[in-house]
């Protein structure tokens, strides 16, 4: 949807308001508008949750491999133009399936997704001293940093 393409600054404010939930459901794009970076945001502007049209599409049901070496990425994300994101399923010979087999669809979002991983508790910097958002102290620390960035943007 055209309304899913947002200026990164506006998207950052929205994500801050909805406690970073929208940041899990956005994709950076190379197109700039008025010299500013853009993002594709598939969340509802009034709730911060995935919007109804996005819930009808496969990508919201694809999980992320994160830093788990036991998981194998079998979905590739491609930007075929500046504002469209496509997911392609690929199964290599080492992970070939037999008829009737089921496999979880997994993608690797790379380093751009690390902030989300940390909020969810499985980032590289998560440990007993720095947990996910279920750890109040860690969540508050991240939120103060985010608030400072929002104040600088304003």
């Amino acid at each position: 949807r055209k309304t899913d393409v947002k200026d990164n600054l506006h998207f950052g404010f929205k994500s801050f308001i909805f406690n970073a939930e929208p940041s899990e459901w956005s994709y950076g794009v190379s197109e700039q508008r008025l010299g500013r970076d853009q993002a594709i945001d598939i969340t509802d502007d009034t709730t911060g949750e995935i919007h109804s049209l996005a819930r009808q599409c496969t990508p919201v049901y694809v999980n992320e491999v994160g830093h788990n070496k036991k998981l194998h990425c079998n979905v590739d994300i491609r930007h075929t133009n500046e504002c469209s994101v496509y997911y392609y399923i690929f199964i290599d010979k080492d992970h070939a399936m037999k008829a009737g087999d089921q496999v979880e669809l997994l993608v690797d979002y790379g380093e751009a997704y690390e902030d989300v991983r940390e909020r969810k508790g499985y980032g590289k910097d998560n440990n007993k001293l720095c947990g996910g958002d279920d750890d109040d102290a860690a969540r508050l620390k991240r939120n103060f940093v985010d608030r400072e960035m929002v104040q600088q943007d304003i």
Side-chain angles (χ1 to χ4, degrees), residues 26-84:
S26 67
Y27 307 87
V29 293
S30 58
E31 177 189 14
Q32 288 195 333
R33 290 188 185 162
L34 303 174
R36 298 176 78 152
D37 291 333
Q38 306 293 305
I40 297 174
D41 167 28
I42 61 171
T43 61
D44 185 279
D45 288 339
T46 59
T47 65
E49 298 173 356
I50 303 169
H51 61 61
S52 60
L53 182 59
R55 288 188 184 282
Q56 298 173 28
C57 301
T58 303
V60 299
Y61 302 101
V62 175
N63 288 318
E64 209 253 342
V65 294
H67 302 294
N68 187 338
K69 302 289 185 205
K70 295 177 183 176
L71 297 178
H72 175 72
C73 178
N74 55 17
V75 174
D76 190 30
I77 300 174
R78 299 292 171 122
H79 297 97
T80 58
N81 63 44
E82 284 79 14
C83 290
S84 296

Side-chain angles (χ1 to χ4, degrees), residues 95-104:
H95 299 88
M97 298 170 59
K98 296 180 183 121
D101 283 353
Q102 295 182 4
V103 65
E104 181 178 19

